[in-house]
Amino acid sequence: MGVTIYDVAKKANVSMATVSRVINGNTNVKPTTRQKVLDAINELGFRPNAVARGLASRKTTSVGVIIPDISNLFFAELARGIEDIASMYKYHIILSSSDQQKNKELDLLDNMLEKQVDGVIFMGSSVTDEHIEVFKRANVPVILAATVDESQSLASVNIDYYQAMKEAVQFLAEHNDEVIGFVTSPLNATINEMKRQGYEDALSDKGLNFNQDLIYAGDDSYNSGIEAANYFLSLQKRPKAIITSSDEMALGVIHGAQDQGVKIPEEIEVIGFDNTRLANMVRPTLTSVLQPMYDIGAVSMRLLTKLLRGEEIEQEQVTLPHRIVERDSTK
Amino acid sequence: MGVTIYDVAKKANVSMATVSRVINGNTNVKPTTRQKVLDAINELGFRPNAVARGLASRKTTSVGVIIPDISNLFFAELARGIEDIASMYKYHIILSSSDQQKNKELDLLDNMLEKQVDGVIFMGSSVTDEHIEVFKRANVPVILAATVDESQSLASVNIDYYQAMKEAVQFLAEHNDEVIGFVTSPLNATINEMKRQGYEDALSDKGLNFNQDLIYAGDDSYNSGIEAANYFLSLQKRPKAIITSSDEMALGVIHGAQDQGVKIPEEIEVIGFDNTRLANMVRPTLTSVLQPMYDIGAVSMRLLTKLLRGEEIEQEQVTLPHRIVERDSTK
DNA sequence: TTGAAAGCGCTAACAT
DNA sequence: ATGTTAGCGCTTTCAA
């Protein structure tokens, strides 16, 4: 551009300090002076340089967001929640996908810190001690969104995955005392482990059948859902219900079963997880455990703004509510 | 942090300039000196301040991305393409959703320019004269991704929407000389107008039936696809094929029709647009016009890097290839 | 209410 | 091959 605060000051016949005050909404400026400055700003088409500002004030009003994969429906929804609140508080988002690779995650964090982000929102598979150490050394607040740190030493926003999965299994067990299959995912390792635990505990609480054969390791994709269906159908003792750790895999399971002429939910009930928009886009519509992705993002960002503004925080580990949304893939 | 280039210089017994040279990979440094500096950097845990760097060099290595809605599958995929190439070239992405509101788009651009982004990738519904004017005044390169500027005065990456839609209709017309319905969307107004034109021209080329009743104005959502199906089924002369301007609406059409007992593709054929992952997640699987979203993003970003580095550009308006991916929703 | 002036941490001539 | 020295455009004491 070329127009600086100095040019404005000269034009308005005031000092740079006064222009700065006007830009920043400082009240200690005489109204007439303020107007003079405002006029000069308009005439010159002055646009404050946020980089210079950042250097002088040591605040950039931008926050880093490390996300496994922005093209994933689940995370994209979460990102939107972050973004909406960020823009409400005048923060910018620097967004990068990590593919859940630890090295990439750490590198991204480093780059963002070089850019002097005021804070970071992190989504990732698992939080190792190294992660924690790096986060603490970062000198800016870090929030984990939909990401569990077992040591509970970082601020975070999640649902109770263990309990959610347990309830889903219990829900099935009400009208189904037969075997229940489970499709896991390697993504979000820690969270999936919690889900698996909930699954197992629910079964043993009910005195139901459990063995390793009933767990199929998917990869979070639609196709792995289809493969899971094929696998379960090939079992001697077929499950009468299947629960997956994501909606996309649940759709795969439904279609995989239907492709083999199996009726859903009559012969096999299916429950997904996350309650993404996909749950309505399938026949029968998918019963799913609602996880409020948008809210997790929004609450994470809100929490970050509180930290950034030194506001009172009641609780650094936030747990949002979940619930089962019943549709037609269950009886 | 607190550690600056000055601290490193002192520790290594060299000048700041030398440290700067080492950081920036300048070759004019004696290997032993370089090593001394590197050691000092490690010992002190020095991390270069990108903000200071940006101020001094007038380059931020960050680019702004204005996107209608990051939680939309289509745009999220595009964003991922942008991001992958950006990170390959060491650029950071500042990402904001505009909801295709002109004011928001212009505001976002303004904010990004304040942040001194080196360039901008813009995705939006329509490009008005005001957009163009603002883009030109921005003083940084702007690329339109999956966004058409009819005046052709800006760099852009698209497919030939007109031709793509025309081919889709011709494809249907091969085995279907009956009426063909069309579901539009208000999103991407200009592009949808091109698609509509392709639809109409294809019909008239074939001497086929056309009237306004055959166009249903959807809103790009799954539900509006269902509504479109209901609408078309209520017509006296039902279409024998329906083509939509997005996959999500196509799924809605399929399910809306199936919910009323209509067989796809036997009674009605359906074609979607974009060939998103959804096309495989439905029964019957969806024939769709492939638009390479990821590539559009990647090529846009690559084009931007060329502009930024002053590399030779052959063509500022890039048209990527499209094609029809046949699946089971058509005969 | 306003101004003067010293940085913020780095790059980029220009010297040597 | 290395050092000196202006800035980059703004914020922020400190004074007035």
Side-chain angles (χ1 to χ4, degrees):
Chain A
M1 287 277 306
V3 184
T4 76
I5 203 177
Y6 175 78
D7 303 318
V8 176
K10 212 163 54 177
K11 175 128 199 161
N13 256 308
V14 297
S15 71
M16 287 165 57
T18 299
V19 177
S20 174
R21 289 189 185 100
V22 171
I23 296 172
N24 292 295
N26 187 315
T27 48
N28 285 349
V29 182
K30 194 162 51 165
T32 53
T33 312
R34 174 187 309 283
Q35 197 51 54
K36 256 196 320 190
V37 172
L38 255 20
D39 290 346
I41 287 178
N42 280 329
E43 279 176 54
L44 296 172
F46 167 72
R47 188 176 2 234
N49 180 326
V51 172
R53 221 142 127 152
L55 183 59
S57 69
R58 299 146 159 287
K59 291 199 179 355
T60 55
T61 60
S62 60
V63 314
V65 174
I66 298 174
I67 199 166
D69 176 12
I70 191 58
S71 68
N72 175 312
L73 201 59
F74 176 82
F75 292 114
E77 189 79 31
L78 227 154
R80 185 66 210 250
I82 294 174
E83 222 212 282
D84 283 354
I85 304 301
S87 89
M88 190 174 300
Y89 286 88
K90 307 286 180 207
Y91 282 94
H92 271 185
I93 291 299
I94 296 183
L95 196 279
S96 291
S97 296
S98 68
D99 294 315
Q100 303 206 337
Q101 293 164 220
K102 183 173 166 185
N103 286 341
K104 222 163 160 185
E105 290 171 345
L106 266 19
D107 277 359
L108 290 176
L109 179 69
D110 225 59
N111 293 331
M112 288 175 177
L113 292 176
E114 284 189 8
K115 292 251 161 136
Q116 312 299 118
V117 293
D118 294 339
V120 170
I121 295 187
F122 179 84
M123 287 157 271
S125 179
S126 47
V127 178
T128 64
D129 289 346
E130 191 178 351
H131 280 96
I132 294 181
E133 202 192 320
V134 174
F135 289 158
K136 301 227 154 148
R137 266 204 319 245
N139 263 338
V140 299
V142 174
I143 313 269
L144 305 180
T147 299
V148 172
D149 147 38
E150 287 168 300
S151 76
Q152 302 257 37
S153 57
L154 294 166
S156 64
V157 180
N158 286 288
I159 63 167
D160 184 340
Y161 305 97
Y162 170 82
Q163 185 60 27
M165 186 54 85
K166 199 166 176 181
E167 286 169 20
V169 174
Q170 285 165 344
F171 171 83
L172 284 175
E174 277 174 24
H175 39 76
N176 204 322
D177 51 1
E178 304 273 346
V179 282
I180 298 176
F182 181 49
V183 185
T184 62
S185 149
L187 289 185
N188 296 75
T190 309
I191 287 175
N192 269 292
E193 176 52 25
M194 297 170 85
K195 290 180 184 170
R196 204 187 49 66
Q197 199 60 52
Y199 162 77
E200 284 187 25
D201 288 1
L203 288 188
S204 72
D205 283 2
K206 289 270 177 182
L208 284 185
N209 233 317
F210 164 72
N211 68 65
Q212 208 52 46
D213 286 354
L214 289 171
I215 297 189
Y216 182 87
D219 65 5
D220 227 34
S221 74
Y222 176 79
N223 280 334
S224 79
I226 292 186
E227 287 156 17
N230 293 337
Y231 166 76
F232 283 126
L233 292 176
S234 75
L235 251 37
Q236 281 212 287
K237 197 164 172 60
R238 287 185 178 183
K240 288 281 194 280
I242 297 174
I243 189 155
T244 70
S245 65
S246 78
D247 284 348
E248 189 160 335
M249 289 196 296
L251 293 211
V253 167
I254 289 178
H255 288 150
Q258 287 174 338
D259 289 350
Q260 298 204 27
V262 174
K263 294 252 181 296
I264 311 291
E266 292 78 3
E267 297 176 61
I268 296 185
E269 296 183 84
V270 178
I271 295 191
F273 207 104
D274 294 344
N275 193 49
T276 55
R277 276 166 30 229
L278 291 177
N280 279 308
M281 299 190 203
V282 59
R283 293 296 181 272
T285 53
L286 178 68
T287 295
S288 185
V289 179
L290 181 153
Q291 175 175 190
M293 295 88 69
Y294 180 91
D295 294 349
I296 291 180
V299 170
S300 300
M301 186 63 213
R302 181 66 188 100
L303 185 55
L304 185 53
T305 62
K306 285 186 183 167
L307 255 20
L308 257 18
R309 300 159 147 224
E311 294 177 23
E312 194 79 8
I313 308 289
E314 326 74 48
Q315 173 62 342
E316 292 220 326
Q317 272 85 29
V318 180
T319 302
L320 260 26
H322 61 267
R323 71 166 200 277
I324 297 174
V325 178
E326 284 184 60
R327 294 199 185 81
D328 302 331
S329 65
T330 50
K331 294 177 194 163
Chain B
M1 290 277 305
V3 184
T4 76
I5 203 178
Y6 175 79
D7 302 320
V8 176
K10 211 163 54 178
K11 176 129 200 159
N13 258 308
V14 297
S15 70
M16 286 165 57
T18 299
V19 178
S20 175
R21 289 191 186 98
V22 171
I23 296 172
N24 292 295
N26 188 314
T27 47
N28 285 347
V29 182
K30 192 162 52 164
T32 53
T33 312
R34 175 186 309 281
Q35 197 51 54
K36 256 197 317 191
V37 172
L38 257 20
D39 290 346
I41 287 178
N42 281 329
E43 278 175 53
L44 296 172
F46 167 73
R47 182 170 15 226
N49 180 327
V51 172
R53 218 146 136 159
L55 184 58
S57 68
R58 298 147 158 289
K59 291 201 179 353
T60 55
T61 60
S62 59
V63 312
V65 174
I66 297 174
I67 199 166
D69 177 12
I70 190 59
S71 67
N72 175 311
L73 200 60
F74 176 82
F75 292 115
E77 188 79 29
L78 228 155
R80 185 65 210 251
I82 294 174
E83 222 212 281
D84 283 353
I85 304 302
S87 90
M88 189 174 299
Y89 286 88
K90 307 287 181 205
Y91 282 93
H92 270 185
I93 291 299
I94 296 184
L95 197 278
S96 291
S97 296
S98 68
D99 293 315
Q100 302 206 339
Q101 294 164 220
K102 184 174 166 186
N103 286 340
K104 221 163 159 184
E105 289 171 347
L106 265 19
D107 277 359
L108 289 176
L109 179 69
D110 224 60
N111 293 331
M112 288 175 176
L113 292 176
E114 283 189 8
K115 292 251 161 135
Q116 312 299 117
V117 293
D118 293 339
V120 171
I121 295 187
F122 179 84
M123 287 157 272
S125 177
S126 46
V127 178
T128 65
D129 289 346
E130 191 178 351
H131 281 97
I132 295 182
E133 202 192 320
V134 174
F135 290 158
K136 300 228 155 147
R137 267 204 319 244
N139 264 335
V140 300
V142 175
I143 314 268
L144 305 181
T147 300
V148 171
D149 148 38
E150 286 167 300
S151 75
Q152 302 257 34
S153 58
L154 294 166
S156 64
V157 180
N158 286 288
I159 63 167
D160 185 340
Y161 304 98
Y162 169 83
Q163 185 61 27
M165 186 54 84
K166 200 167 175 178
E167 286 169 19
V169 174
Q170 287 165 343
F171 171 83
L172 284 175
E174 277 174 24
H175 40 77
N176 204 323
D177 51 3
E178 305 270 347
V179 283
I180 297 176
F182 181 49
V183 185
T184 62
S185 148
L187 288 185
N188 296 74
T190 310
I191 288 174
N192 269 292
E193 176 52 26
M194 297 170 86
K195 289 180 185 170
R196 205 186 49 66
Q197 198 62 53
Y199 162 77
E200 284 187 24
D201 288 1
L203 287 188
S204 72
D205 283 2
K206 288 272 178 183
L208 283 186
N209 232 315
F210 164 71
N211 68 65
Q212 209 51 46
D213 286 355
L214 289 171
I215 298 191
Y216 182 87
D219 65 4
D220 228 34
S221 73
Y222 176 79
N223 280 334
S224 80
I226 292 187
E227 287 156 17
N230 293 338
Y231 165 76
F232 284 126
L233 292 177
S234 75
L235 251 36
Q236 281 211 289
K237 196 163 173 59
R238 287 184 177 183
K240 289 282 194 279
I242 297 175
I243 189 155
T244 70
S245 65
S246 79
D247 283 349
E248 188 161 335
M249 290 197 296
L251 292 212
V253 167
I254 290 178
H255 288 149
Q258 288 174 337
D259 288 350
Q260 298 204 27
V262 174
K263 295 249 180 299
I264 311 289
E266 293 78 3
E267 298 176 60
I268 297 185
E269 296 183 82
V270 178
I271 296 192
F273 207 103
D274 295 344
N275 194 48
T276 55
R277 276 166 29 229
L278 291 177
N280 278 308
M281 298 190 204
V282 60
R283 292 297 180 272
T285 53
L286 178 69
T287 294
S288 185
V289 180
L290 181 153
Q291 176 175 191
M293 295 89 68
Y294 180 91
D295 294 349
I296 291 180
V299 170
S300 300
M301 187 63 213
R302 181 63 187 104
L303 185 54
L304 185 54
T305 62
K306 285 186 183 168
L307 256 19
L308 258 19
R309 300 160 146 223
E311 292 177 24
E312 194 80 8
I313 308 289
E314 326 74 47
Q315 173 62 342
E316 292 220 327
Q317 272 85 29
V318 180
T319 301
L320 261 25
H322 61 267
R323 70 167 201 276
I324 296 173
V325 179
E326 285 185 58
R327 295 199 184 81
D328 301 332
S329 65
T330 50
K331 294 175 195 163

